[in-house]
Amino acid sequence: MNQSSSVYKIRIFLVLGALCLSSSVAVGSELIPVPEFTNHDVPITLPSNPDSPIWEWLNVGLLVIALSLASYLAIVSRSRRGLFALAVASLLWFGFARGGCVCAIGAVQNVTLGMFDSSYAIPWTVIAIFVLPLVYTLFFGRTFCAAVCPLGAIQEVVAVRPVRVPSWLDHSLGLVPYIYLGLAILYAATGTAFIICRYDPFVAMFRMSGNVNMLIFGGSILLLGVFIGRPYCRYLCPYGAILGVLSKGSKWHGRIAPETCIQCHLCENSCPYGAIATPTRPIHKSERVKARGRLAKSLLSVPVLIICGVLVGLLLKTPLSKLDADVRLAERIIQEDAGEVEGMTDASEAFRNTGQPTSALIERAIGQRELFGWLGMALGGWVGLVVGVKFVTLSIRRRRVDYEPDRARCVSCARCYWYCPGEHVRQGLVGDVSQLVSIETTGDPR
């Protein structure tokens, strides 16, 4: 009897508990109604609308005006102040207002992809932004670098305590932009990535947003630029490498002294970019024979360096292909299937959800890796050619009687004008350069 009453009590408690629970749920559902999603429209993510063509063509028009003005200020009026003011204006418009895009430096990749991929439609405005600085450089030297490029302008502004970089280090680091150019073309041609844009040190600053690592990288470049003039332009910029080659054959280029060079070497001391070529001294006949021998050895080394570069490039096909999306995904899928890694990445999970066969992905990856093998050899040959030409260039002895700008490295910033005593005479600040003799000894003509 007692046992059956205990069972009844338990059953009663269970029934009461269930009633309380159901009533609490009912009350809760009344207080917090369940949202109804039946008629809810799922939002669709759409890419942002591109800028109006009017803005793009306005950008091209302003680029033409800025290039013309920079060329006039660098060659005709020889105005350092005018170039600096134009650089600040270019920084504000092409940099901060336009977000640093589209720029001529990054357009290298658009043009490359357009040449290798017929399905890629490159806008005419991007072609114009890429070509216009090249055309102006053929006529007037690197006036684009002087005061139009926002990347050069922001470095020009912070170059307040520049020091001279040792010549051997300057020439060695000066090869990097050509290698970077080769890599950028390789990855753009394969549609892998636009590495110039991805690793642009200043675009995050211009847009005041972006990857923290790139902000730190850009800040480090600017901090370095306080003491080393334009480190990105001189040792990284791939577009600057092209402009440097074209500038060597420019029809007109600013000369340091407006009339006669008095060889005070103030221009050489003032240039933070090591872009002033000094007068040469006559050499003895025996030294001339040695110089010809060095030139011959340099010329013979060019094909050897190209062959070595091709062989090294062949070994780089695997590391070069690591940046390709299909190659990375195929490697991950193979590792997951072999149990070498745990879990899935977002990319591998998305691929598996598509139901595509793994064999097709692996086949594409193998094809891409073979392609990178050929392109790696081309890149290696390019690097060998660049190094060989540098050796030949350094072996050639050119006769100079005055201080002259090195057209390939000179960015037409006009600092040398500012320090030239002859320029002070031209501007009417002094009557004769002899009045600057005491100033010359102090090294500060201001």
Side-chain angles (χ1 to χ4, degrees), residues 281-291 397:
R281 61 176 179 80
I283 61 173
H284 193 266
K285 186 177 180 180
S286 59
E287 294 182 6
R288 200 175 303 159
V289 173
K290 292 180 180 177
R397 186 179 183 278

Side-chain angles (χ1 to χ4, degrees), residues 21-275:
L21 181 61
S22 61
S23 62
S24 63
V25 170
V27 172
S29 63
E30 292 176 357
L31 294 176
I32 309 175
V34 178
E36 178 61 48
F37 294 104
T38 305
N39 298 323
H40 176 70
D41 294 330
V42 178
I44 301 173
T45 303
L46 296 174
S48 58
N49 294 324
D51 287 342
S52 167
I54 297 176
W55 279 104
E56 295 300 326
W57 283 110
L58 174 64
N59 217 29
V60 173
L62 290 175
L63 177 63
V64 173
I65 293 173
L67 284 168
S68 302
L69 190 56
S71 301
Y72 174 80
L73 293 170
I75 297 178
V76 180
S77 71
R78 301 167 58 86
S79 173
R80 165 68 180 165
R81 288 175 177 167
L83 283 170
F84 189 81
L86 180 59
V88 173
S90 298
L91 174 61
L92 294 176
W93 175 256
F94 295 113
F96 289 101
R98 299 296 300 163
C101 189
V102 174
C103 72
I105 302 172
V108 173
Q109 304 160 119
N110 300 86
V111 173
T112 301
L113 183 57
M115 294 172 63
F116 284 85
D117 185 356
S118 58
S119 64
Y120 179 73
I122 177 171
W124 283 105
T125 52
V126 175
I127 295 176
I129 289 172
F130 171 74
V131 171
L132 282 171
L134 303 180
V135 174
Y136 272 79
T137 302
L138 282 173
F139 285 96
F140 309 110
R142 297 175 62 175
T143 52
F144 172 74
C145 304
V148 183
C149 176
L151 279 69
I154 195 171
Q155 295 173 88
E156 185 71 25
V157 170
V158 302
V160 294
R161 294 287 180 187
V163 298
R164 183 183 296 274
V165 178
S167 180
W168 64 269
L169 183 60
D170 190 42
H171 282 289
S172 301
L173 294 176
L175 297 175
V176 176
Y178 295 94
I179 301 172
Y180 192 18
L181 174 64
L183 276 171
I185 291 176
L186 183 149
Y187 283 123
T190 55
T192 302
F194 281 9
I195 60 172
I196 296 175
C197 299
R198 180 179 294 184
Y199 301 110
D200 187 319
F202 303 121
V203 72
M205 293 184 183
F206 294 152
R207 297 174 183 177
M208 298 182 184
S209 65
N211 188 285
V212 175
N213 293 332
M214 293 309 300
L215 284 169
I216 295 173
F217 177 48
S220 302
I221 293 287
L222 282 186
L223 180 61
L224 186 65
V226 175
F227 307 102
I228 298 177
R230 298 195 183 208
Y232 180 81
C233 298
R234 296 163 70 188
Y235 306 130
L236 279 176
C237 182
Y239 195 66
I242 302 174
L243 296 181
V245 174
L246 297 181
S247 183
K248 284 187 176 181
S250 58
K251 185 173 179 59
W252 297 284
H253 196 284
R255 54 170 297 168
I256 300 172
E259 298 296 338
T260 303
C261 176
I262 62 172
Q263 302 198 359
C264 62
H265 68 79
L266 286 174
C267 55
E268 182 189 12
N269 293 339
S270 67
C271 181
Y273 313 123

